[in-house]
């Protein structure tokens, strides 16, 4: 518990120490989320604008948090999206290679090398 000053109020130093204690938490602020995922706040807000960010919870219409559950769901969605993107990229590379191979067979000049 944070220390109280003689006046009975919690000191700022004690509050910071209490807030940064290594205690498991059920949610993160936007800044904590950005730090945990090593992304900038501007990138986070761009993701939110595109509808690709994690679901936010508003507390008392002021503080915004991201619950651990919503963070996990978001990470899973990102993983699925990444897998789909990789599959599309692999299919495009395969198609390009097949097209190049077909062009070589017919002796097209643009793929002589």
């Amino acid at each position: 518990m944070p220390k109280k000053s003689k006046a009975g109020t919690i000191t700022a130093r004690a509050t910071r120490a209490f807030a940064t204690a290594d205690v498991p938490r059920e949610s993160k602020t936007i800044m904590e989320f950005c730090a945990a995922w090593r992304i900038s706040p501007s990138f986070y807000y761009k993701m939110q604008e595109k509808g690709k960010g994690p679901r936010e919870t508003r507390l008392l219409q002021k503080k915004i948090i991201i619950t651990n559950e919503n963070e996990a769901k978001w990470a899973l969605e990102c993983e699925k999206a990444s897998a789909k993107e990789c599959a599309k990229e692999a299919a495009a590379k395969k198609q390009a290679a097949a097209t190049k191979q077909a062009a070589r067979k017919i002796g097209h000049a643009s793929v002589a090398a």
Side-chain angles (χ1 to χ4, degrees):
M1 193 67 164
K3 292 180 185 179
K4 290 188 177 186
S5 68
K6 291 180 183 178
T9 59
I10 297 172
T11 62
R13 190 164 120 194
T15 302
R16 280 193 304 274
F18 187 68
T20 58
D22 194 19
V23 177
R25 295 180 49 195
E26 296 300 316
S27 63
K28 292 179 174 80
T29 64
I30 291 173
M31 291 304 176
E32 290 169 338
F33 177 86
C34 291
W37 286 91
R38 294 190 167 119
I39 61 172
S40 67
S42 63
F43 183 73
Y44 172 84
Y45 290 114
K46 286 177 187 175
M47 285 192 317
Q48 289 297 67
E49 285 177 12
K50 293 178 182 180
K52 295 185 178 188
R55 184 171 177 257
E56 298 174 340
T57 303
R58 294 190 186 275
L59 301 176
L60 303 174
Q61 298 184 1
K62 287 189 177 187
K63 187 172 183 175
I64 299 172
I65 61 169
I66 297 131
T67 63
N68 292 347
E69 183 180 330
N70 288 336
E71 181 180 7
K73 286 179 185 178
W74 171 80
L76 188 59
E77 288 171 11
C78 286
E79 190 175 317
K80 287 178 184 177
S82 179
K84 285 180 185 177
E85 194 173 305
C86 287
K88 284 181 185 178
E89 190 176 308
K93 284 182 181 180
K94 188 175 181 181
Q95 179 65 33
T99 303
K100 195 172 187 178
Q101 184 73 20
R104 281 188 184 147
K105 281 187 179 180
I106 60 171
H108 198 279
S110 67
V111 288

